[in-house]
Amino acid sequence: MADKTSNSNLQPWWNRPLWGDKSMLEKLESIIHKPHDSIPEEVIEHHQRVFGELKILTPIAKALDSNEFNNPEFLEFVHISKLFAYEIGEYKGLKNYIALFRVAVEARNSFLKIEQIELSYRSSKQQEMYRFLLGLLEQQLNREEFIKKLEQKQQEILPEIHSEEGKDAINVYTETLKKLARQDELGIKLMYLFKKYQLENFSLLRIISEIVQYLLERNLLDFNDIKILVRANQDLFDQLGKVIELPIDKTREEDYARMLQYIAMKQKYQDIYIQFLRLLEVMTSWSHFYLILKEIREHYDPDEFEIPEEFNTPIPGIEIYNKYQSVITKKYKST
């Protein structure tokens, strides 16, 4: 016993027993290196399930991702689409009119074909068909009812037309109207508005379509350039504004330029925009699971818990999320 006490007294003061047989150093080590708590097994299993969902979604997102989505012009189109959809700021009140403007451009060929037939075939029975169309348009029917009544009139009038050329004209006329109705119900409304305001010259649509085609080769981020183009064709846009019944306070140069910019961007990026929306849909689901995983990992402090190796595994798809986070998380509110 004396030897043990003697040996203890020979040790440095910080390593001598404070109480019992444990020195200060041993006490500090026991505090610093105390056994950590274990993360509950059900939490680890939940982490595994959520991580599995991310592993499933990530390859889909990678397949949908494209370098074209990094184009500033495309990203501006995404932003403008939201402004129109939610009618925010200067885009407020333009949503319904841009839809008619779009149809006017996209369905121009149908309108021009209808115009050509009405001008070329003037027999009494054919003019009866044209008058019937106006009455049908005034009823503002849905597309199914419109097509049904149009076909009934077609079958009624065909036997009364004697020339094969005349019959062919009625058939093409009817099919073109049906195509216009099926393409977009707004096509029927636009046809009615043209006839309502007695603007039978659909070449207006051709010229505006040519302006859109011209813009496709220009920098669509240059809004001033688009305004100059509107200014140079103000009479045309005023005519179109009358047809689509644009409110007087929305007939400024800037309003037409905004609609023209959007329509040109839509034509240019429509295909990849659909792909981009699918990517956002996948990444929105991905972000749901990501936030759960992030919360689980952050909840357990490594100073207090034994962290499983899988909790430190890189999160699949995080690079895609970081790339589009501002778009995924941005909220738009109608004004």
Side-chain angles (χ1 to χ4, degrees):
M1 177 66 69
D3 290 343
K4 187 174 181 179
T5 304
S6 175
N7 290 338
S8 176
N9 290 333
L10 293 175
Q11 294 182 51
W13 67 269
W14 43 264
N15 201 23
R16 294 176 190 169
L18 293 177
W19 56 86
D21 294 329
K22 290 192 175 181
S23 67
M24 180 183 288
L25 180 60
E26 288 169 335
K27 274 290 179 184
L28 287 172
E29 285 181 343
S30 68
I31 293 171
I32 294 171
H33 299 292
K34 70 177 181 180
H36 288 185
D37 292 331
S38 296
I39 297 175
E41 190 61 34
E42 58 269 25
V43 173
I44 295 175
E45 290 175 359
H46 187 47
H47 181 281
Q48 289 171 345
R49 286 195 297 271
V50 173
F51 193 86
E53 294 291 341
L54 293 176
K55 287 176 71 176
I56 291 170
L57 291 170
T58 297
I60 301 172
K62 286 183 177 179
L64 290 170
D65 195 14
S66 169
N67 289 333
E68 292 184 78
F69 299 158
N70 300 321
N71 182 341
E73 196 174 271
F74 172 74
L75 291 174
E76 181 64 12
F77 168 60
V78 173
H79 178 58
I80 289 174
S81 296
K82 295 291 186 181
L83 296 179
F84 268 115
Y86 290 94
E87 299 192 278
I88 296 171
E90 295 297 327
Y91 296 84
K92 186 174 182 179
L94 290 176
K95 180 179 175 180
N96 294 331
Y97 304 103
I98 190 66
L100 281 169
F101 197 153
R102 174 184 56 78
V103 170
V105 172
E106 292 178 356
R108 66 192 179 281
N109 291 333
S110 294
F111 283 101
L112 291 170
K113 187 178 290 185
I114 290 166
E115 177 194 37
Q116 183 181 15
I117 293 171
E118 288 184 348
L119 292 174
S120 301
Y121 297 90
R122 307 295 298 171
S123 74
S124 60
K125 286 300 173 182
Q126 280 156 335
Q127 290 190 59
E128 180 184 329
M129 184 68 167
Y130 308 152
R131 289 193 297 272
F132 172 80
L133 172 64
L134 179 57
L136 200 57
L137 291 170
E138 287 174 342
Q139 295 177 47
Q140 300 188 29
L141 304 170
N142 62 45
R143 79 177 78 188
E144 290 79 15
E145 196 64 25
F146 174 83
I147 291 173
K148 180 182 176 182
K149 291 195 173 187
L150 188 66
E151 288 176 335
Q152 288 173 347
K153 185 64 176 179
Q154 176 192 21
Q155 296 307 313
E156 174 193 319
I157 210 168
L158 274 174
E160 301 180 34
I161 298 176
H162 303 296
S163 72
E164 288 303 314
E165 185 180 0
K167 290 179 186 289
D168 289 343
I170 287 294
N171 287 332
V172 172
Y173 188 75
T174 304
E175 289 304 313
T176 304
L177 285 165
K178 285 162 61 177
K179 178 184 175 182
L180 183 65
R182 290 188 180 114
Q183 183 177 345
D184 196 315
E185 281 192 356
L186 288 175
I188 304 172
K189 180 176 181 180
L190 190 62
M191 173 66 72
Y192 166 67
L193 291 171
F194 262 94
K195 290 187 174 295
K196 175 183 175 181
Y197 291 105
Q198 299 181 334
L199 291 170
E200 303 295 340
N201 184 2
F202 293 125
S203 60
L204 162 67
L205 302 183
R206 178 180 53 78
I207 297 170
I208 290 180
S209 295
E210 288 172 355
I211 292 173
V212 171
Q213 292 302 310
Y214 168 77
L215 279 175
L216 294 180
E217 305 301 323
R218 308 284 293 181
N219 175 12
L220 292 173
L221 294 177
D222 190 342
F223 191 68
N224 286 328
D225 190 34
I226 300 172
K227 285 200 298 182
I228 291 170
L229 196 57
V230 170
R231 194 178 308 140
N233 296 275
Q234 189 68 51
D235 290 345
L236 283 173
F237 286 100
D238 286 341
Q239 286 183 60
L240 183 61
K242 180 181 178 182
V243 171
I244 64 177
E245 299 183 329
L246 200 60
I248 191 67
D249 63 334
K250 296 296 180 183
T251 57
R252 299 172 303 164
E253 182 181 288
E254 292 84 355
D255 296 314
Y256 287 122
R258 286 188 184 90
M259 291 190 285
L260 195 58
Q261 181 189 44
Y262 171 78
I263 289 168
M265 284 182 165
K266 186 175 176 63
Q267 281 208 11
K268 190 171 183 178
Y269 296 113
Q270 181 60 24
D271 289 343
I272 67 164
Y273 182 56
I274 293 171
Q275 182 177 331
F276 184 72
L277 291 179
R278 289 175 61 200
L279 173 62
L280 290 187
E281 185 179 346
V282 171
M283 290 309 298
T284 299
S285 297
W286 184 98
S287 66
H288 167 72
F289 293 110
Y290 164 67
L291 292 174
I292 294 173
L293 198 78
K294 187 168 177 282
E295 184 177 357
I296 291 173
R297 292 186 174 189
E298 290 178 350
H299 182 76
Y300 294 97
D301 190 335
D303 291 334
E304 298 177 15
F305 293 89
E306 292 180 11
I307 304 300
E309 186 177 340
E310 62 201 78
F311 274 45
N312 296 315
T313 305
I315 297 174
I318 190 67
E319 69 284 353
I320 300 177
Y321 178 75
N322 289 337
K323 192 193 303 186
Y324 301 113
Q325 183 179 4
S326 61
V327 182
I328 296 168
T329 58
K330 188 174 180 62
K331 304 295 182 186
Y332 291 86
K333 286 187 178 181
S334 299
T335 55

